[in-house]
Amino acid sequence: MSDEQSPRRLIAVFESPVSEMLFRFGVELGFRTALVEPDPTRLAGTPRPRGDTFVADLIAAAPDEHTDILLTDHHRPEIGALLKEALGGRSRWIGILGNPRAEGPHVAALRELGVPEDEIGRVRRPVGLNIGSRTPPEIAVAVLAGLIADRNHRPGGFVF
């Protein structure tokens, strides 16, 4: 089965405005989605889009070779452990949001856990297409467009 025919799965890690937008747009683009949120207190409040499923840990989300995993918050203390777990799995793509002009805190967190540099390099950052996105909906569009381009082996942007 080619990437174009395979099921598209997207796991967003951490409840956030960006994950909400990823799920709204992702469903329309054919992604099966899941939210991983280790802190149940962050799921309280007004019901919001949380994907097709939401679970407390990455194992329960069952990432496979068709799965893209995106951590939507680079300030959470769980990033190192969650990324190490993701790197040990079979997911197709792993990324984390953050400022592309500075080394992300995930690098130090993974080094502290003894993750080799080549594995750390598998974590994509920046993620998505460079469209100057600032708001959660714009970030979600950039990320999803980048994932689609990557799945289709295209550079993204205006080069055809």
Side-chain angles (χ1 to χ4, degrees), residues 12-23 35-37 42-43 48-50 70-74 76 97 136 139-140:
V13 180
F14 304 132
E15 169 69 26
S16 71
V18 172
S19 65
E20 293 173 26
M21 293 296 111
L22 286 168
F23 296 146
L35 172 67
V36 172
E37 177 50 73
R42 294 181 180 253
L43 297 174
R48 297 189 294 268
R50 295 200 170 106
L70 177 66
L71 276 68
T72 64
D73 186 336
H74 58 274
R76 297 275 297 267
L97 294 180
I139 293 167

Side-chain angles (χ1 to χ4, degrees), residues 9 11 32 34 36 55 57-65 67 90:
R9 296 195 62 225
I11 296 174
R32 287 189 356 246
V36 172
V55 294
D57 60 71
L58 199 53
I59 291 172
D64 62 19
E65 67 275 8
T67 304
R90 302 182 307 153

Side-chain angles (χ1 to χ4, degrees), residues 26-41:
V27 168
E28 296 297 325
L29 294 168
F31 284 88
R32 287 189 356 246
T33 60
L35 172 67
V36 172
E37 177 50 73
D39 180 354
T41 65

Side-chain angles (χ1 to χ4, degrees), residues 20-121:
E20 293 173 26
M21 293 296 111
L22 286 168
F23 296 146
R24 284 187 188 183
F25 301 146
V27 168
E28 296 297 325
L29 294 168
F31 284 88
R32 287 189 356 246
T33 60
L35 172 67
V36 172
E37 177 50 73
D39 180 354
T41 65
R42 294 181 180 253
L43 297 174
T46 305
R48 297 189 294 268
R50 295 200 170 106
D52 297 317
T53 61
F54 62 92
V55 294
D57 60 71
L58 199 53
I59 291 172
D64 62 19
E65 67 275 8
H66 304 293
T67 304
D68 301 327
I69 299 173
L70 177 66
L71 276 68
T72 64
D73 186 336
H74 58 274
H75 295 295
R76 297 275 297 267
E78 307 99 320
I79 61 172
L82 281 162
L83 283 171
K84 183 176 181 181
E85 186 177 342
L87 288 166
R90 302 182 307 153
S91 62
R92 188 191 79 84
W93 183 95
I94 302 166
I96 185 169
L97 294 180
N99 182 342
R101 291 179 288 286
E103 181 174 87
H106 71 286
V107 174
L110 288 170
R111 284 181 182 143
E112 190 172 302
L113 293 171
V115 176
E117 292 297 318
D118 61 325
E119 286 293 297
I120 293 171

